[in-house]
Amino acid sequence: MMDWIAATGGRQEAEYRVTFDTPDAPRLALDASVMTPLAHLGVLDVEGPDAETFLQGQTSAQVSLADGDLAPLTCFCTPKGRMLANAQLLRVAPAHYRLLMHASLVASLAEHLKKFAPFYKVELRERDDLALLGLIGHEAAALAEVRFDLLPPRPWHQAGDEQIQLLAHPGPRPRLLACLPADQAEEAWNWLKAHATPVDNAVWRLHDIQSGLAWLEADQRDTYLPQMLNWEALGGISFKKGCYTGQEVVARAHFRGQVKKRLVRAQLDGGLLPEAGSAIEDAEDRRLGEVLCAELDAYGEAEVLAVMSTREPALPLRCAGQKLKLLKLPYSVERLDPESLAEGT
């Protein structure tokens, strides 16, 4: 699976982290074009004549909106509305859907969905034969268009065919994600390397944080309602579709205003990266929430996404022995219907 990553010259020092010897990579990504192997992301395919119907009963997305153009966010929940995984849903061909998520959740989500699969003409495939490449920078679109002969889409949309898909993600700089067969990745990487600098995949994760976009990992499953990750503000929940597993709880929390915790973006006053799950406490030593993910920014300070109580905190806040300052999210925390994204509004 990871042979193509070794061929890039990157070092996979941890299971989902790839590093390069590029100095000041987060700062470089603000001024130049960079690229990275997205080793922390994985793919689960759902194929078959009943694929749309099957997914419609399990996912928060209106599956018909994934039409080969729009590639909406979605999530899968327990009957109690807790998230088992969050993902991006794309259609790569008729009756063939692809789910992009954190790599640590691919196997567990496949196992969960297989419980329902015998009732449908559908096949689930964990795609470890695919490569995911990330491009960041103002030249990303031009590079992708030349290399893959695809017109880059706008955020949360897709371009391509069954072989290669190109996705656009939001961020402080333009970002494109290319999904292609792993046996084509080395050639694509070497061509792109002539025009973009290789960087750690931590840079892509940092841009996710700065976008207010949190991807659940395996030890965070079955913990949060989708709204606790601001999933409805990102267009990841359709409140206009029919039933799916967990729908009743998710809808009730929305319409009754029962969400007591929310995803927040913050910065610590030092370069110590807190571990996922690290407590956020206020001046009265009350635990208000916990860190979901963290990366170092262009100034060597830790930026985090955390799930935190919506009640007014007693300042100052702290996490992992460092002062914590809340930052603005790049979107409003209010409902965004994915149907409006499909309409381009």
Side-chain angles (χ1 to χ4, degrees):
M1 171 185 173
M2 296 302 179
D3 290 347
W4 72 271
I5 293 181
T8 68
R11 298 182 302 278
Q12 197 153 0
E13 298 175 346
E15 189 172 9
Y16 301 118
R17 288 185 176 269
V18 177
T19 61
F20 293 85
D21 293 326
T22 303
D24 299 323
R27 187 181 296 273
L28 181 67
L30 296 176
D31 303 319
S33 296
V34 300
M35 63 180 187
T36 185
L38 302 179
H40 60 292
L41 297 178
V43 171
L44 176 64
D45 276 9
V46 182
E47 298 179 71
D50 294 338
E52 181 177 342
T53 305
F54 172 73
L55 285 170
Q56 183 73 359
Q58 297 299 325
T59 180
S60 65
Q62 179 66 263
V63 179
S64 62
L65 295 177
D67 58 359
D69 178 21
L70 180 67
L73 292 174
T74 190
C75 65
F76 297 82
C77 298
T78 68
K80 294 183 179 181
R82 303 288 168 166
M83 299 173 76
L84 293 171
N86 56 349
Q88 185 175 12
L89 174 66
L90 53 153
R91 195 187 76 176
V92 298
H96 183 177
Y97 295 88
R98 180 158 291 167
L99 292 160
L100 177 74
M101 70 194 78
H102 195 274
S104 66
L105 285 172
V106 173
S108 62
L109 182 61
E111 190 65 26
H112 169 74
L113 293 177
K114 283 176 182 177
K115 293 184 294 185
F116 308 97
F119 304 101
Y120 299 87
K121 295 178 181 178
V122 69
E123 180 185 0
L124 302 171
R125 288 199 294 155
E126 300 173 41
R127 296 300 303 270
D128 58 2
D129 58 336
L130 297 176
L132 301 171
L133 305 179
L135 279 167
I136 305 174
H138 293 296
E139 298 300 320
L143 292 174
E145 183 174 1
V146 172
R147 174 62 205 177
F148 302 114
D149 195 25
L150 294 171
L151 187 64
R154 53 198 170 100
W156 302 134
H157 288 70
Q158 68 178 89
D161 53 26
E162 289 188 74
Q163 280 290 301
I164 298 175
Q165 300 86 47
L166 197 61
L167 304 168
H169 285 192
R173 295 294 184 271
R175 291 197 295 163
L176 291 170
L177 184 156
C179 177
L180 65 158
D183 59 10
Q184 297 180 24
E186 184 176 354
E187 182 182 354
W189 179 270
N190 288 334
W191 186 93
L192 291 166
K193 190 170 65 173
H195 310 279
T197 304
V199 296
D200 306 352
N201 67 328
V203 174
W204 185 274
R205 292 162 61 101
L206 171 66
H207 284 229
D208 276 343
I209 290 170
Q210 294 173 338
S211 303
L213 175 63
W215 297 105
L216 285 181
E217 299 186 26
D219 57 359
Q220 297 161 339
R221 67 193 299 269
D222 198 9
T223 303
Y224 302 106
L225 291 172
Q227 291 96 326
M228 293 179 183
L229 268 63
N230 298 344
W231 216 238
E232 87 282 31
L234 290 162
I237 306 172
S238 173
F239 291 97
K240 300 180 179 181
K241 67 172 287 183
C243 293
Y244 58 91
T245 303
Q247 181 263 347
E248 183 178 350
V249 177
V250 173
R252 184 167 63 243
H254 172 71
F255 289 110
R256 294 185 181 179
Q258 295 175 332
V259 182
K260 304 303 181 183
K261 293 183 177 181
R262 281 288 185 179
L263 187 75
V264 299
R265 179 178 164 230
Q267 185 178 58
L268 304 183
D269 67 352
L272 174 65
L273 278 181
E275 295 183 359
S278 296
I280 295 174
E281 298 174 320
D282 66 8
E284 298 174 355
D285 296 330
R286 293 180 299 183
R287 182 185 176 113
L288 301 181
E290 62 278 343
V291 170
L292 280 180
C293 52
E295 296 294 348
L296 295 180
D297 65 15
Y299 306 98
E301 296 188 319
E303 291 199 28
V304 305
L305 290 178
V307 174
M308 205 171 91
S309 170
T310 56
R311 70 187 181 191
E312 195 69 27
L315 301 177
L317 303 176
R318 66 179 184 276
C319 176
Q322 302 171 94
K323 290 182 179 179
L324 180 143
K325 179 178 73 171
L326 296 178
L327 302 175
K328 287 185 177 181
L329 288 165
Y331 51 79
S332 299
V333 183
E334 56 188 36
R335 172 176 160 181
L336 173 64
D337 288 326
E339 290 81 2
S340 67
L341 294 175
E343 296 164 0
T345 58

